[in-house]
Amino acid sequence: THTQRASRRQRQMCIRDRSIIGANSVVTKSLPEKAIAFGNPASVKKKWDDVIKEWQHVDQPAKKEY
């Protein structure tokens, strides 16, 4: 697990092996193995695909416009 300086992590969470957390991110929930997460709150943006040996984008739900 690689955490950039100034990242913040709340209690009672698990950051799995080989996960990467971006600088100044606030982790509010557990993260899966082999994932890249960043933001406030941090969300998973990419996951490692063992079959094709590449990082794959994670589909994010569309933002609601009010």
Short mmCIF file of all heavy atoms in Angstrom, two decimals:
data_model
loop_
_atom_site.label_atom_id
_atom_site.label_comp_id
_atom_site.label_asym_id
_atom_site.label_seq_id
_atom_site.Cartn_x
_atom_site.Cartn_y
_atom_site.Cartn_z
N THR A 1 0.84 -1.18 0.00
CA THR A 1 0.00 0.00 0.00
C THR A 1 0.88 1.23 0.00
O THR A 1 1.80 1.33 0.80
CB THR A 1 -0.91 0.01 1.24
OG1 THR A 1 -1.65 -1.19 1.25
CG2 THR A 1 -1.82 1.20 1.24
N HIS A 2 0.60 2.15 -0.89
CA HIS A 2 1.39 3.37 -1.00
C HIS A 2 0.47 4.56 -0.73
O HIS A 2 -0.54 4.74 -1.40
CB HIS A 2 1.98 3.49 -2.41
CG HIS A 2 2.79 4.70 -2.60
ND1 HIS A 2 4.04 4.84 -2.05
CD2 HIS A 2 2.53 5.84 -3.25
CE1 HIS A 2 4.52 6.02 -2.39
NE2 HIS A 2 3.62 6.65 -3.11
N THR A 3 0.80 5.34 0.27
CA THR A 3 0.00 6.51 0.64
C THR A 3 0.83 7.76 0.47
O THR A 3 1.93 7.85 1.01
CB THR A 3 -0.47 6.40 2.11
OG1 THR A 3 -1.13 5.17 2.30
CG2 THR A 3 -1.40 7.53 2.47
N GLN A 4 0.34 8.71 -0.30
CA GLN A 4 1.04 9.97 -0.47
C GLN A 4 1.03 10.76 0.83
O GLN A 4 0.13 10.60 1.66
CB GLN A 4 0.36 10.81 -1.56
CG GLN A 4 0.44 10.21 -2.92
CD GLN A 4 1.82 10.32 -3.51
OE1 GLN A 4 2.63 11.14 -3.09
NE2 GLN A 4 2.11 9.49 -4.48
N ARG A 5 2.00 11.62 1.00
CA ARG A 5 2.03 12.47 2.19
C ARG A 5 0.80 13.36 2.23
O ARG A 5 0.28 13.76 1.20
CB ARG A 5 3.27 13.34 2.17
CG ARG A 5 4.54 12.52 2.29
CD ARG A 5 5.72 13.40 2.30
NE ARG A 5 5.79 13.99 3.64
CZ ARG A 5 6.68 14.88 3.99
NH1 ARG A 5 7.56 15.30 3.13
NH2 ARG A 5 6.68 15.38 5.20
N ALA A 6 0.34 13.64 3.41
CA ALA A 6 -0.81 14.50 3.67
C ALA A 6 -2.14 13.84 3.36
O ALA A 6 -3.17 14.48 3.42
CB ALA A 6 -0.69 15.84 2.94
N SER A 7 -2.16 12.54 3.03
CA SER A 7 -3.43 11.84 2.89
C SER A 7 -3.98 11.58 4.29
O SER A 7 -3.23 11.39 5.23
CB SER A 7 -3.25 10.51 2.16
OG SER A 7 -2.85 10.73 0.85
N ARG A 8 -5.28 11.54 4.40
CA ARG A 8 -5.91 11.31 5.70
C ARG A 8 -6.74 10.04 5.65
O ARG A 8 -7.42 9.78 4.67
CB ARG A 8 -6.81 12.49 6.05
CG ARG A 8 -6.05 13.76 6.24
CD ARG A 8 -7.00 14.93 6.47
NE ARG A 8 -6.29 16.16 6.53
CZ ARG A 8 -5.98 16.90 5.48
NH1 ARG A 8 -6.31 16.51 4.27
NH2 ARG A 8 -5.33 18.02 5.61
N ARG A 9 -6.69 9.29 6.75
CA ARG A 9 -7.44 8.04 6.81
C ARG A 9 -8.23 8.02 8.10
O ARG A 9 -7.70 8.27 9.18
CB ARG A 9 -6.48 6.85 6.75
CG ARG A 9 -7.16 5.52 6.75
CD ARG A 9 -6.15 4.40 6.56
NE ARG A 9 -5.34 4.19 7.73
CZ ARG A 9 -5.62 3.31 8.69
NH1 ARG A 9 -6.69 2.57 8.61
NH2 ARG A 9 -4.82 3.17 9.71
N GLN A 10 -9.52 7.72 8.00
CA GLN A 10 -10.38 7.61 9.17
C GLN A 10 -10.12 6.26 9.86
O GLN A 10 -9.48 5.39 9.30
CB GLN A 10 -11.85 7.70 8.75
CG GLN A 10 -12.21 8.94 7.98
CD GLN A 10 -12.27 10.18 8.83
OE1 GLN A 10 -12.58 10.11 10.00
NE2 GLN A 10 -11.96 11.31 8.25
N ARG A 11 -10.66 6.06 11.03
CA ARG A 11 -10.48 4.80 11.76
C ARG A 11 -11.40 3.71 11.22
O ARG A 11 -12.36 3.99 10.52
CB ARG A 11 -10.78 5.01 13.24
CG ARG A 11 -9.77 5.88 13.91
CD ARG A 11 -10.07 6.00 15.36
NE ARG A 11 -9.07 6.85 15.99
CZ ARG A 11 -9.02 7.07 17.26
NH1 ARG A 11 -9.90 6.54 18.06
NH2 ARG A 11 -8.09 7.83 17.76
N GLN A 12 -11.09 2.47 11.59
CA GLN A 12 -11.91 1.30 11.26
C GLN A 12 -12.05 1.08 9.76
O GLN A 12 -13.12 0.75 9.29
CB GLN A 12 -13.29 1.39 11.93
CG GLN A 12 -13.27 1.52 13.42
CD GLN A 12 -12.68 0.30 14.10
OE1 GLN A 12 -12.47 -0.73 13.49
NE2 GLN A 12 -12.37 0.42 15.38
N MET A 13 -10.98 1.27 9.04
CA MET A 13 -10.99 1.01 7.59
C MET A 13 -9.83 0.12 7.26
O MET A 13 -8.84 0.08 7.97
CB MET A 13 -10.84 2.30 6.81
CG MET A 13 -12.10 3.08 6.72
SD MET A 13 -11.77 4.60 5.94
CE MET A 13 -10.95 5.42 7.25
N CYS A 14 -9.96 -0.56 6.14
CA CYS A 14 -8.91 -1.45 5.68
C CYS A 14 -8.50 -1.01 4.27
O CYS A 14 -9.34 -0.91 3.39
CB CYS A 14 -9.43 -2.89 5.65
SG CYS A 14 -8.15 -4.06 5.24
N ILE A 15 -7.22 -0.73 4.13
CA ILE A 15 -6.68 -0.41 2.81
C ILE A 15 -5.87 -1.63 2.39
O ILE A 15 -4.86 -1.96 3.01
CB ILE A 15 -5.81 0.86 2.86
CG1 ILE A 15 -6.69 2.04 3.31
CG2 ILE A 15 -5.19 1.14 1.50
CD1 ILE A 15 -5.93 3.30 3.58
N ARG A 16 -6.36 -2.31 1.38
CA ARG A 16 -5.78 -3.59 0.97
C ARG A 16 -4.42 -3.45 0.31
O ARG A 16 -4.00 -2.36 -0.08
CB ARG A 16 -6.73 -4.31 0.01
CG ARG A 16 -8.11 -4.52 0.56
CD ARG A 16 -8.12 -5.62 1.55
NE ARG A 16 -9.48 -5.76 2.07
CZ ARG A 16 -9.78 -6.49 3.10
NH1 ARG A 16 -8.86 -7.17 3.73
NH2 ARG A 16 -11.03 -6.58 3.52
N ASP A 17 -3.75 -4.60 0.14
CA ASP A 17 -2.42 -4.64 -0.47
C ASP A 17 -2.41 -4.04 -1.87
O ASP A 17 -3.35 -4.18 -2.62
CB ASP A 17 -1.93 -6.09 -0.57
CG ASP A 17 -1.61 -6.68 0.79
OD1 ASP A 17 -1.39 -5.91 1.74
OD2 ASP A 17 -1.57 -7.92 0.89
N ARG A 18 -1.32 -3.38 -2.17
CA ARG A 18 -1.04 -2.79 -3.49
C ARG A 18 -2.05 -1.73 -3.91
O ARG A 18 -2.29 -1.53 -5.10
CB ARG A 18 -0.91 -3.89 -4.53
CG ARG A 18 0.36 -4.71 -4.30
CD ARG A 18 0.42 -5.89 -5.20
NE ARG A 18 0.07 -7.02 -4.34
CZ ARG A 18 -0.30 -8.19 -4.78
NH1 ARG A 18 -0.39 -8.42 -6.05
NH2 ARG A 18 -0.58 -9.15 -3.95
N SER A 19 -2.65 -1.06 -2.95
CA SER A 19 -3.54 0.07 -3.27
C SER A 19 -2.73 1.36 -3.23
O SER A 19 -1.77 1.47 -2.48
CB SER A 19 -4.68 0.16 -2.26
OG SER A 19 -5.55 -0.93 -2.42
N ILE A 20 -3.13 2.33 -4.04
CA ILE A 20 -2.45 3.61 -4.11
C ILE A 20 -3.46 4.70 -3.78
O ILE A 20 -4.55 4.72 -4.34
CB ILE A 20 -1.87 3.85 -5.52
CG1 ILE A 20 -0.86 2.75 -5.87
CG2 ILE A 20 -1.22 5.23 -5.62
CD1 ILE A 20 -0.43 2.76 -7.31
N ILE A 21 -3.08 5.59 -2.85
CA ILE A 21 -3.96 6.68 -2.44
C ILE A 21 -3.29 7.99 -2.80
O ILE A 21 -2.12 8.21 -2.46
CB ILE A 21 -4.23 6.62 -0.92
CG1 ILE A 21 -4.85 5.27 -0.57
CG2 ILE A 21 -5.14 7.77 -0.51
CD1 ILE A 21 -4.89 5.00 0.91
N GLY A 22 -4.01 8.86 -3.50
CA GLY A 22 -3.46 10.13 -3.94
C GLY A 22 -3.21 11.12 -2.81
O GLY A 22 -3.79 11.02 -1.73
N ALA A 23 -2.35 12.09 -3.09
CA ALA A 23 -2.02 13.12 -2.12
C ALA A 23 -3.25 13.94 -1.76
O ALA A 23 -4.12 14.18 -2.58
CB ALA A 23 -0.95 14.04 -2.71
N ASN A 24 -3.35 14.33 -0.50
CA ASN A 24 -4.43 15.14 0.05
C ASN A 24 -5.80 14.48 -0.03
O ASN A 24 -6.82 15.15 0.05
CB ASN A 24 -4.47 16.53 -0.61
CG ASN A 24 -3.22 17.32 -0.32
OD1 ASN A 24 -2.71 17.30 0.80
ND2 ASN A 24 -2.71 18.00 -1.31
N SER A 25 -5.83 13.17 -0.23
CA SER A 25 -7.11 12.45 -0.27
C SER A 25 -7.59 12.16 1.14
O SER A 25 -6.79 12.00 2.06
CB SER A 25 -6.94 11.13 -1.02
OG SER A 25 -6.59 11.38 -2.36
N VAL A 26 -8.90 12.08 1.31
CA VAL A 26 -9.51 11.73 2.59
C VAL A 26 -10.22 10.41 2.40
O VAL A 26 -11.24 10.33 1.71
CB VAL A 26 -10.49 12.82 3.07
CG1 VAL A 26 -11.14 12.41 4.38
CG2 VAL A 26 -9.78 14.15 3.20
N VAL A 27 -9.66 9.35 2.99
CA VAL A 27 -10.23 8.01 2.85
C VAL A 27 -11.28 7.82 3.93
O VAL A 27 -10.98 7.89 5.12
CB VAL A 27 -9.13 6.93 2.95
CG1 VAL A 27 -9.71 5.54 2.81
CG2 VAL A 27 -8.07 7.17 1.89
N THR A 28 -12.53 7.55 3.51
CA THR A 28 -13.63 7.43 4.46
C THR A 28 -14.20 6.02 4.52
O THR A 28 -15.07 5.75 5.34
CB THR A 28 -14.77 8.40 4.10
OG1 THR A 28 -15.21 8.11 2.78
CG2 THR A 28 -14.30 9.84 4.18
N LYS A 29 -13.73 5.13 3.63
CA LYS A 29 -14.20 3.74 3.66
C LYS A 29 -13.08 2.83 3.18
O LYS A 29 -12.08 3.29 2.62
CB LYS A 29 -15.45 3.56 2.81
CG LYS A 29 -15.27 3.93 1.35
CD LYS A 29 -16.59 3.81 0.61
CE LYS A 29 -16.41 4.26 -0.84
NZ LYS A 29 -17.63 4.17 -1.59
N SER A 30 -13.24 1.55 3.40
CA SER A 30 -12.23 0.57 3.02
C SER A 30 -12.03 0.55 1.51
O SER A 30 -12.96 0.80 0.74
CB SER A 30 -12.63 -0.82 3.49
OG SER A 30 -12.68 -0.85 4.90
N LEU A 31 -10.80 0.26 1.10
CA LEU A 31 -10.46 0.21 -0.31
C LEU A 31 -10.08 -1.22 -0.71
O LEU A 31 -9.45 -1.92 0.08
CB LEU A 31 -9.28 1.14 -0.62
CG LEU A 31 -9.53 2.62 -0.35
CD1 LEU A 31 -8.25 3.41 -0.58
CD2 LEU A 31 -10.64 3.14 -1.23
N PRO A 32 -10.41 -1.63 -1.93
CA PRO A 32 -10.08 -2.98 -2.37
C PRO A 32 -8.59 -3.12 -2.71
O PRO A 32 -7.87 -2.14 -2.81
CB PRO A 32 -10.94 -3.17 -3.62
CG PRO A 32 -11.11 -1.79 -4.15
CD PRO A 32 -11.17 -0.90 -2.93
N GLU A 33 -8.17 -4.35 -2.94
CA GLU A 33 -6.80 -4.64 -3.34
C GLU A 33 -6.54 -4.14 -4.76
O GLU A 33 -7.44 -4.16 -5.60
CB GLU A 33 -6.58 -6.15 -3.28
CG GLU A 33 -5.17 -6.58 -3.57
CD GLU A 33 -5.01 -8.07 -3.42
OE1 GLU A 33 -5.53 -8.81 -4.27
OE2 GLU A 33 -4.34 -8.48 -2.46
N LYS A 34 -5.32 -3.70 -5.01
CA LYS A 34 -4.88 -3.26 -6.34
C LYS A 34 -5.78 -2.17 -6.93
O LYS A 34 -6.30 -2.30 -8.03
CB LYS A 34 -4.81 -4.44 -7.30
CG LYS A 34 -3.87 -5.54 -6.86
CD LYS A 34 -3.91 -6.70 -7.83
CE LYS A 34 -3.14 -7.87 -7.31
NZ LYS A 34 -3.30 -9.05 -8.17
N ALA A 35 -5.95 -1.09 -6.18
CA ALA A 35 -6.81 0.01 -6.63
C ALA A 35 -6.09 1.34 -6.48
O ALA A 35 -5.20 1.49 -5.64
CB ALA A 35 -8.09 0.03 -5.81
N ILE A 36 -6.46 2.30 -7.32
CA ILE A 36 -5.99 3.68 -7.20
C ILE A 36 -7.19 4.52 -6.78
O ILE A 36 -8.22 4.51 -7.44
CB ILE A 36 -5.42 4.20 -8.54
CG1 ILE A 36 -4.19 3.40 -8.95
CG2 ILE A 36 -5.08 5.69 -8.42
CD1 ILE A 36 -3.64 3.77 -10.31
N ALA A 37 -7.03 5.25 -5.68
CA ALA A 37 -8.12 6.08 -5.17
C ALA A 37 -7.58 7.46 -4.83
O ALA A 37 -6.46 7.61 -4.36
CB ALA A 37 -8.74 5.44 -3.94
N PHE A 38 -8.42 8.48 -5.07
CA PHE A 38 -8.05 9.83 -4.68
C PHE A 38 -9.30 10.68 -4.61
O PHE A 38 -10.36 10.29 -5.07
CB PHE A 38 -7.00 10.45 -5.62
CG PHE A 38 -7.37 10.43 -7.08
CD1 PHE A 38 -8.08 11.46 -7.65
CD2 PHE A 38 -7.00 9.36 -7.88
CE1 PHE A 38 -8.42 11.45 -8.99
CE2 PHE A 38 -7.32 9.33 -9.23
CZ PHE A 38 -8.03 10.38 -9.79
N GLY A 39 -9.16 11.86 -4.02
CA GLY A 39 -10.28 12.79 -3.90
C GLY A 39 -10.70 13.01 -2.46
O GLY A 39 -10.13 12.47 -1.53
N ASN A 40 -11.72 13.85 -2.31
CA ASN A 40 -12.27 14.14 -0.99
C ASN A 40 -13.79 14.09 -1.07
O ASN A 40 -14.40 15.02 -1.55
CB ASN A 40 -11.81 15.53 -0.53
CG ASN A 40 -12.29 15.86 0.86
OD1 ASN A 40 -12.88 15.03 1.54
ND2 ASN A 40 -12.03 17.08 1.28
N PRO A 41 -14.38 12.98 -0.65
CA PRO A 41 -13.76 11.77 -0.13
C PRO A 41 -13.14 10.94 -1.24
O PRO A 41 -13.55 11.03 -2.40
CB PRO A 41 -14.93 11.03 0.52
CG PRO A 41 -16.12 11.46 -0.26
CD PRO A 41 -15.84 12.89 -0.65
N ALA A 42 -12.17 10.12 -0.87
CA ALA A 42 -11.47 9.29 -1.86
C ALA A 42 -12.42 8.25 -2.45
O ALA A 42 -13.23 7.67 -1.75
CB ALA A 42 -10.29 8.59 -1.20
N SER A 43 -12.31 8.06 -3.76
CA SER A 43 -13.07 7.01 -4.43
C SER A 43 -12.14 6.29 -5.40
O SER A 43 -11.16 6.86 -5.88
CB SER A 43 -14.28 7.59 -5.18
OG SER A 43 -13.87 8.51 -6.15
N VAL A 44 -12.45 5.03 -5.66
CA VAL A 44 -11.61 4.22 -6.53
C VAL A 44 -11.79 4.69 -7.97
O VAL A 44 -12.90 4.74 -8.48
CB VAL A 44 -11.96 2.72 -6.38
CG1 VAL A 44 -11.16 1.89 -7.37
CG2 VAL A 44 -11.72 2.26 -4.96
N LYS A 45 -10.69 5.03 -8.62
CA LYS A 45 -10.71 5.51 -10.01
C LYS A 45 -10.24 4.44 -10.98
O LYS A 45 -10.71 4.39 -12.11
CB LYS A 45 -9.82 6.75 -10.17
CG LYS A 45 -10.15 7.87 -9.21
CD LYS A 45 -11.53 8.43 -9.42
CE LYS A 45 -11.72 9.62 -8.48
NZ LYS A 45 -13.05 10.14 -8.48
N LYS A 46 -9.29 3.59 -10.53
CA LYS A 46 -8.78 2.52 -11.38
C LYS A 46 -8.52 1.27 -10.56
O LYS A 46 -8.26 1.36 -9.36
CB LYS A 46 -7.46 2.94 -12.05
CG LYS A 46 -7.58 4.04 -13.06
CD LYS A 46 -6.25 4.30 -13.73
CE LYS A 46 -6.37 5.38 -14.79
NZ LYS A 46 -5.10 5.57 -15.50
N LYS A 47 -8.59 0.12 -11.23
CA LYS A 47 -8.25 -1.17 -10.63
C LYS A 47 -7.32 -1.92 -11.57
O LYS A 47 -7.43 -1.78 -12.78
CB LYS A 47 -9.50 -2.02 -10.39
CG LYS A 47 -10.36 -1.53 -9.25
CD LYS A 47 -11.47 -2.50 -8.98
CE LYS A 47 -12.30 -2.06 -7.81
NZ LYS A 47 -13.36 -3.03 -7.51
N TRP A 48 -6.43 -2.72 -11.00
CA TRP A 48 -5.49 -3.50 -11.79
C TRP A 48 -6.18 -4.74 -12.32
O TRP A 48 -6.83 -5.47 -11.57
CB TRP A 48 -4.29 -3.89 -10.95
CG TRP A 48 -3.28 -4.67 -11.70
CD1 TRP A 48 -3.05 -6.01 -11.61
CD2 TRP A 48 -2.35 -4.18 -12.66
NE1 TRP A 48 -2.05 -6.37 -12.44
CE2 TRP A 48 -1.59 -5.27 -13.12
CE3 TRP A 48 -2.09 -2.92 -13.19
CZ2 TRP A 48 -0.59 -5.15 -14.06
CZ3 TRP A 48 -1.09 -2.80 -14.13
CH2 TRP A 48 -0.35 -3.89 -14.56
N ASP A 49 -6.05 -5.01 -13.61
CA ASP A 49 -6.62 -6.20 -14.24
C ASP A 49 -5.48 -7.19 -14.43
O ASP A 49 -4.57 -6.97 -15.23
CB ASP A 49 -7.25 -5.83 -15.59
CG ASP A 49 -8.00 -6.98 -16.21
OD1 ASP A 49 -7.57 -8.13 -16.05
OD2 ASP A 49 -9.03 -6.72 -16.86
N ASP A 50 -5.52 -8.31 -13.70
CA ASP A 50 -4.46 -9.31 -13.76
C ASP A 50 -4.40 -10.04 -15.10
O ASP A 50 -3.34 -10.54 -15.49
CB ASP A 50 -4.63 -10.34 -12.65
CG ASP A 50 -4.27 -9.77 -11.29
OD1 ASP A 50 -3.32 -8.96 -11.22
OD2 ASP A 50 -4.93 -10.13 -10.30
N VAL A 51 -5.50 -10.09 -15.82
CA VAL A 51 -5.53 -10.81 -17.09
C VAL A 51 -4.77 -10.05 -18.17
O VAL A 51 -3.91 -10.61 -18.86
CB VAL A 51 -6.99 -11.07 -17.55
CG1 VAL A 51 -7.02 -11.72 -18.91
CG2 VAL A 51 -7.72 -11.92 -16.52
N ILE A 52 -5.07 -8.76 -18.34
CA ILE A 52 -4.42 -7.98 -19.40
C ILE A 52 -3.23 -7.17 -18.88
O ILE A 52 -2.57 -6.48 -19.64
CB ILE A 52 -5.43 -7.07 -20.13
CG1 ILE A 52 -6.05 -6.06 -19.17
CG2 ILE A 52 -6.48 -7.89 -20.82
CD1 ILE A 52 -6.90 -5.03 -19.85
N LYS A 53 -2.99 -7.21 -17.56
CA LYS A 53 -1.85 -6.54 -16.93
C LYS A 53 -1.85 -5.03 -17.17
O LYS A 53 -0.84 -4.43 -17.53
CB LYS A 53 -0.52 -7.13 -17.43
CG LYS A 53 -0.40 -8.63 -17.30
CD LYS A 53 -0.29 -9.05 -15.87
CE LYS A 53 0.01 -10.55 -15.83
NZ LYS A 53 -0.45 -11.17 -14.64
N GLU A 54 -3.01 -4.41 -16.96
CA GLU A 54 -3.16 -2.96 -17.11
C GLU A 54 -4.12 -2.41 -16.06
O GLU A 54 -4.96 -3.12 -15.55
CB GLU A 54 -3.75 -2.60 -18.48
CG GLU A 54 -2.84 -2.76 -19.64
CD GLU A 54 -3.48 -2.27 -20.94
OE1 GLU A 54 -4.66 -1.87 -20.92
OE2 GLU A 54 -2.79 -2.30 -21.95
N TRP A 55 -3.97 -1.11 -15.81
CA TRP A 55 -4.94 -0.41 -14.97
C TRP A 55 -6.18 -0.14 -15.81
O TRP A 55 -6.07 0.33 -16.94
CB TRP A 55 -4.37 0.91 -14.45
CG TRP A 55 -3.30 0.73 -13.43
CD1 TRP A 55 -1.96 0.84 -13.64
CD2 TRP A 55 -3.47 0.39 -12.06
NE1 TRP A 55 -1.29 0.59 -12.48
CE2 TRP A 55 -2.19 0.32 -11.48
CE3 TRP A 55 -4.58 0.13 -11.26
CZ2 TRP A 55 -1.98 0.00 -10.14
CZ3 TRP A 55 -4.37 -0.18 -9.92
CH2 TRP A 55 -3.10 -0.23 -9.38
N GLN A 56 -7.35 -0.42 -15.26
CA GLN A 56 -8.61 -0.19 -15.95
C GLN A 56 -9.43 0.84 -15.18
O GLN A 56 -9.51 0.79 -13.96
CB GLN A 56 -9.42 -1.50 -16.05
CG GLN A 56 -8.73 -2.57 -16.87
CD GLN A 56 -8.64 -2.17 -18.33
OE1 GLN A 56 -9.63 -1.77 -18.92
NE2 GLN A 56 -7.45 -2.28 -18.89
N HIS A 57 -10.04 1.78 -15.91
CA HIS A 57 -10.89 2.79 -15.29
C HIS A 57 -12.11 2.11 -14.67
O HIS A 57 -12.65 1.16 -15.23
CB HIS A 57 -11.38 3.82 -16.31
CG HIS A 57 -10.30 4.75 -16.75
ND1 HIS A 57 -9.95 5.87 -16.04
CD2 HIS A 57 -9.46 4.71 -17.82
CE1 HIS A 57 -8.96 6.47 -16.64
NE2 HIS A 57 -8.64 5.80 -17.74
N VAL A 58 -12.52 2.62 -13.53
CA VAL A 58 -13.73 2.14 -12.86
C VAL A 58 -14.87 3.04 -13.29
O VAL A 58 -14.76 4.26 -13.23
CB VAL A 58 -13.55 2.18 -11.32
CG1 VAL A 58 -14.83 1.80 -10.62
CG2 VAL A 58 -12.41 1.28 -10.91
N ASP A 59 -15.96 2.45 -13.75
CA ASP A 59 -17.11 3.25 -14.17
C ASP A 59 -17.71 3.93 -12.95
O ASP A 59 -18.06 3.28 -11.97
CB ASP A 59 -18.17 2.38 -14.84
CG ASP A 59 -17.68 1.82 -16.16
OD1 ASP A 59 -16.88 2.50 -16.83
OD2 ASP A 59 -18.09 0.70 -16.51
N GLN A 60 -17.82 5.24 -13.04
CA GLN A 60 -18.40 6.03 -11.96
C GLN A 60 -19.85 6.35 -12.30
O GLN A 60 -20.16 6.62 -13.46
CB GLN A 60 -17.62 7.34 -11.77
CG GLN A 60 -16.17 7.14 -11.39
CD GLN A 60 -16.01 6.60 -9.99
OE1 GLN A 60 -16.80 6.89 -9.10
NE2 GLN A 60 -15.00 5.79 -9.80
N PRO A 61 -20.73 6.33 -11.31
CA PRO A 61 -22.12 6.71 -11.60
C PRO A 61 -22.18 8.18 -12.05
O PRO A 61 -21.37 9.00 -11.61
CB PRO A 61 -22.83 6.52 -10.25
CG PRO A 61 -21.78 6.39 -9.24
CD PRO A 61 -20.51 5.99 -9.93
N ALA A 62 -23.11 8.48 -12.91
CA ALA A 62 -23.27 9.85 -13.42
C ALA A 62 -23.67 10.78 -12.27
O ALA A 62 -24.44 10.41 -11.39
CB ALA A 62 -24.33 9.88 -14.50
N LYS A 63 -23.11 11.98 -12.29
CA LYS A 63 -23.44 12.95 -11.25
C LYS A 63 -24.82 13.53 -11.54
O LYS A 63 -25.17 13.81 -12.68
CB LYS A 63 -22.41 14.08 -11.21
CG LYS A 63 -21.09 13.64 -10.72
CD LYS A 63 -20.16 14.81 -10.56
CE LYS A 63 -18.83 14.36 -9.99
NZ LYS A 63 -17.95 15.48 -9.74
N LYS A 64 -25.57 13.70 -10.46
CA LYS A 64 -26.91 14.28 -10.61
C LYS A 64 -26.80 15.78 -10.72
O LYS A 64 -26.04 16.42 -10.00
CB LYS A 64 -27.77 13.93 -9.39
CG LYS A 64 -28.07 12.45 -9.28
CD LYS A 64 -28.92 12.19 -8.07
CE LYS A 64 -29.21 10.71 -7.92
NZ LYS A 64 -29.99 10.43 -6.72
N GLU A 65 -27.53 16.33 -11.63
CA GLU A 65 -27.55 17.79 -11.76
C GLU A 65 -28.88 18.29 -11.20
O GLU A 65 -29.93 17.75 -11.49
CB GLU A 65 -27.41 18.19 -13.22
CG GLU A 65 -26.05 17.83 -13.77
CD GLU A 65 -25.84 18.44 -15.13
OE1 GLU A 65 -26.43 19.50 -15.41
OE2 GLU A 65 -25.07 17.85 -15.89
N TYR A 66 -28.79 19.32 -10.38
CA TYR A 66 -29.99 19.85 -9.75
C TYR A 66 -30.41 21.14 -10.38
O TYR A 66 -29.70 21.90 -10.88
CB TYR A 66 -29.75 20.07 -8.25
CG TYR A 66 -29.48 18.75 -7.55
CD1 TYR A 66 -28.19 18.30 -7.31
CD2 TYR A 66 -30.54 17.96 -7.13
CE1 TYR A 66 -27.96 17.11 -6.66
CE2 TYR A 66 -30.32 16.76 -6.48
CZ TYR A 66 -29.01 16.36 -6.24
OH TYR A 66 -28.81 15.18 -5.60
#
